[in-house]
């Protein structure tokens, strides 16, 4: 790595991130069915129709996984709690086994000196609520606040921070407009409702948890460095519209209480009645902001398709296994832009950044210099952002383990630790050892 721990401010949190459905093994411990189970069971949605039933079996192997984090010298662990594990039907009967699991998990982090950074929703919509419309149903926001309260009553005394939602753009647009994620809809009315209700869920959970005295509450947003594919006015406008839908919708709702006019031009007539009245709940202070950043996108106008009438085109930069261009400057852009335009000196965390690669075990080890370079360059971009005034207080690599990459099943490997999905054996990759060396005190 081209950086070391001491290049970052004292107290900077170095960590790694995961999410419940992607690693735990959702068939264990009484968890309820989620919309990902049924999405995966429907032909054509997920590679080889793979699901999260077993995943990395973190449910049973969590202590060994936390040891791996600790052995690298990390300070924090970003994890999520599954709604369907806590409340198998989404509301009503609580699964005590689920609460007990998260209780043990948080204690195990603290025993190892790891700060627990909890996320409340990383996409495990209980199937029973999906039956009622999931995020297209306004009531889901209230049920989410109820779930948030239940899990917080059990572990809120020990977690370092709480994020309400992970990546609302994926929850709403990727899943209801592009149809790539569960529930796999391609419908603008459903999208507009999900775009709003996911923010309402954030607001209602914030209000509920703040009312309970819970501190250090935030949200994790993902960002696309949307750029014009060429110098034309049309391409500039296309990139601007992508920025309004993907990037500005969520952060402006939270920090200004408004949605961008450019986005409302398309979504406006499909929004739920009286949405304006919810903006006060959405627009309340956050204690910290999580930034997830992976790549840039290049856009052109496409008048042959309905609003937003834009499409991405392939760029020329080196790409990861996902086909995503490697563009560390984009991380610097969003960290400084968030500080300058939206959150000021409110703490910012890089809550996800990482890359997938077709890693192979050779002679018992994984040699992944591409990942080491990727991580190094994104840490350097973060360091520059701090020098330029952004109050960045931590960085979580995505992901600790190779895991269930949603519609890509187990094919894309993001981990710093290789997982053999036949034997579940964990093998730290060369990038893990490089990061460990950089973090040594
Ligand atoms: O695996 C996902 C994660 O669940 C959310 N952020 C992006 C990652 C890589 O695609």
């Amino acid at each position: 790595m081209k950086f070391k721990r001491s290049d970052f401010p004292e107290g900077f949190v170095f960590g790694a991130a995961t999410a419940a459905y992607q690693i735990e093994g959702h068939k264990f411990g009484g968890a309820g069915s989620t919309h990902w189970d049924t999405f995966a069971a429907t032909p054509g949605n997920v590679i080889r129709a793979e699901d999260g039933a077993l995943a990395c079996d973190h449910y049973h192997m969590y202590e060994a996984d936390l040891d791996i984090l600790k052995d690298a010298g990390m300070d924090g662990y970003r994890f999520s709690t599954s709604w369907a594990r806590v409340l198998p039907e989404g509301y009503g009967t609580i699964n005590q086994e689920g609460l007990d699991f998260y209780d043990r998990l948080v204690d195990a982090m603290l025993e190892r000196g790891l700060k627990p950074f909890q996320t409340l929703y990383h996409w495990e919509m209980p199937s029973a609520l999906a039956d009622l419309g999931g995020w297209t149903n306004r009531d889901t926001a209230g049920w989410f606040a109820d779930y948030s309260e239940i899990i917080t009553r059990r572990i809120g005394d020990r977690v370092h921070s709480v994020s309400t939602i992970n990546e609302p753009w994926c929850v709403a647009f990727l899943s209801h407009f592009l149809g790539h994620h569960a529930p796999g809809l391609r419908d603008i009315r459903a999208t507009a409702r999900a775009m709003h209700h996911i923010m309402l869920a954030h607001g209602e959970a914030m209000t509920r948890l703040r009312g309970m005295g819970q501190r250090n509450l935030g949200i994790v947003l993902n960002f696309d460095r949307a750029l014009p594919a060429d110098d034309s006015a049309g391409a500039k406008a296309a990139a601007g519209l992508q920025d309004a839908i993907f990037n500005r919708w969520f952060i402006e709702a939270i920090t200004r209480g408004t949605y961008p006019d450019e986005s409302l031009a398309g979504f406006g007539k499909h929004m739920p009645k009286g949405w304006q009245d919810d903006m006060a709940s959405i627009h309340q202070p956050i204690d910290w902001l999580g930034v997830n950043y992976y790549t840039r996108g290049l856009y052109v106008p496409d008048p042959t398709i309905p609003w937003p009438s834009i499409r991405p085109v392939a760029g020329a930069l080196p790409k990861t296994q996902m086909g995503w261009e490697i563009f560390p400057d984009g991380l610097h852009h969003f960290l400084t832009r968030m500080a300058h335009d939206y959150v000021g000196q409110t703490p910012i965390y890089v809550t996800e950044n990482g890359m997938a690669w077709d890693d192979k075990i050779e002679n018992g080890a994984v040699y992944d210099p591409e990942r080491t370079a990727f991580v190094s360059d994104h840490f350097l971009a973060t360091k520059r952002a701090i020098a330029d005034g952004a109050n960045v207080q931590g960085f979580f690599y995505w992901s600790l383990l190779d895991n269930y990459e949603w519609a890509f099943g187990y094919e894309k490997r993001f981990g710093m630790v290789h997982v053999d999905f036949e034997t579940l054996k964990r093998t730290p990759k060369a990038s893990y050892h490089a990061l460990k060396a950089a973090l040594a005190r």
Side-chain angles (χ1 to χ4, degrees):
M1 299 285 173
K2 289 178 242 147
F3 71 93
K4 51 190 182 318
R5 181 184 279 278
S6 55
D7 292 338
F8 287 82
E10 188 59 35
F12 192 86
V13 177
F14 295 88
T18 64
Y21 192 81
Q22 293 179 271
I23 64 163
E24 284 177 358
H26 225 257
K27 70 177 175 184
F28 302 118
S33 169
T34 77
H35 67 174
W36 268 97
D37 296 304
T38 53
F39 184 72
T42 311
N45 286 338
V46 177
I47 288 178
R48 291 180 292 271
E50 289 167 342
D51 61 25
L54 176 61
C56 306
D57 194 7
H58 179 72
Y59 186 82
H60 295 107
M61 300 176 74
Y62 67 94
E63 296 206 79
D65 292 339
L66 296 179
D67 284 343
I68 294 173
L69 274 165
K70 179 177 179 246
D71 289 349
M74 299 213 200
D75 315 299
Y77 177 44
R78 178 171 174 250
F79 70 110
S80 74
T81 49
S82 161
W83 186 349
R85 183 178 292 292
V86 173
L87 289 156
E89 297 290 311
Y91 56 73
T93 308
I94 295 171
N95 174 32
Q96 289 302 331
E97 266 185 274
L99 288 182
D100 292 347
F101 170 65
Y102 291 124
D103 201 70
R104 293 195 297 277
L105 184 65
V106 169
D107 280 347
M109 288 177 219
L110 296 177
E111 279 159 20
R112 289 163 178 78
L114 296 164
K115 290 192 167 100
F117 285 68
Q118 181 197 3
T119 299
L120 287 163
Y121 186 71
H122 201 124
W123 311 350
E124 299 88 2
M125 169 66 66
S127 294
L129 298 188
D131 294 343
L132 301 177
W135 291 114
T136 66
N137 181 349
R138 177 187 178 83
D139 291 340
T140 300
W143 292 319
F144 176 69
D146 295 342
Y147 147 68
S148 302
E149 178 175 340
I150 290 165
I151 183 69
T152 300
R153 288 211 183 285
R154 186 64 183 264
I155 62 171
D157 56 337
R158 282 156 291 149
V159 295
H160 176 77
S161 72
V162 180
S163 157
T164 53
I165 309 290
N166 180 70
E167 300 185 346
W169 178 86
C170 292
V171 173
F173 199 91
L174 187 66
S175 311
H176 296 78
F177 196 83
L178 300 178
H180 295 169
H181 277 191
L185 296 183
R186 292 174 50 73
D187 184 280
I188 193 168
R189 179 176 163 94
T191 307
R193 276 141 206 276
M195 295 282 281
H196 179 64
H197 292 148
I198 194 68
M199 295 317 294
L200 180 61
H202 160 75
E204 296 211 354
M206 291 289 288
T207 304
R208 189 77 67 89
L209 299 188
R210 269 217 174 107
M212 293 166 61
Q214 190 70 22
R215 282 186 293 202
N216 220 3
L217 303 172
I219 185 168
V220 170
L221 307 180
N222 57 323
F223 295 95
D224 173 23
R225 181 69 176 111
L227 293 169
D230 55 50
D231 281 342
S232 66
K236 284 181 190 154
L241 185 49
Q242 169 71 2
D243 189 57
I245 295 170
F246 196 124
N247 301 321
R248 291 173 47 212
W249 180 274
F250 306 101
I251 190 67
E252 293 188 5
I254 295 164
T255 59
R256 298 180 185 171
T258 55
Y259 292 130
D261 289 340
E262 299 94 315
S263 317
L264 285 174
F267 289 136
K269 62 175 180 282
H270 305 292
M271 293 289 278
K273 236 192 193 135
W275 62 268
Q276 295 87 342
D277 299 340
D278 297 328
M279 297 314 282
S281 156
I282 296 168
H283 176 211
Q284 55 178 301
I286 48 175
D287 301 315
W288 60 276
L289 173 69
V291 169
N292 288 2
Y293 172 78
Y294 287 90
T295 188
R296 73 170 185 177
L298 301 178
Y299 295 88
V300 290
D302 185 348
T304 68
I305 55 174
W307 186 89
S309 310
I310 60 173
R311 66 183 161 78
V313 295
L317 299 176
K319 298 182 181 62
T320 70
Q321 191 193 16
M322 297 293 281
W324 296 347
E325 286 189 297
I326 300 173
F327 189 62
D329 277 355
L331 180 57
H332 174 270
H333 168 86
F334 283 115
L335 295 174
T336 49
R337 178 175 167 194
M338 287 304 118
H340 187 265
D341 292 356
Y342 296 109
V343 300
Q345 285 304 293
T346 299
I348 299 174
Y349 291 85
V350 178
T351 32
E352 284 182 29
N353 172 254
M355 66 172 273
W357 199 250
D358 187 17
D359 300 309
K360 303 266 187 278
I361 298 254
E362 278 164 28
N363 303 320
V366 178
Y367 179 60
D368 60 342
E370 300 80 7
R371 184 173 287 104
T372 301
F374 182 101
V375 174
S376 191
D377 290 344
H378 285 81
F379 264 102
L380 292 181
T382 304
K383 189 178 154 193
R384 274 197 294 123
I386 295 171
D388 292 339
N391 182 16
V392 188
Q393 298 202 353
F395 187 121
F396 294 82
Y397 178 76
W398 181 272
S399 176
L400 174 64
L401 304 171
D402 290 341
N403 61 44
Y404 182 65
E405 179 53 27
W406 307 111
F408 295 97
Y410 293 94
E411 204 171 85
K412 310 288 186 198
R413 294 183 175 273
F414 274 92
M416 272 203 169
V417 176
H418 181 276
V419 177
D420 178 327
F421 291 107
E422 298 293 317
T423 63
L424 297 177
K425 184 175 181 334
R426 276 68 161 148
T427 305
K429 302 176 187 177
S431 56
Y432 167 94
H433 296 295
L435 182 61
K436 176 174 175 166
L439 299 189
R441 288 179 195 278

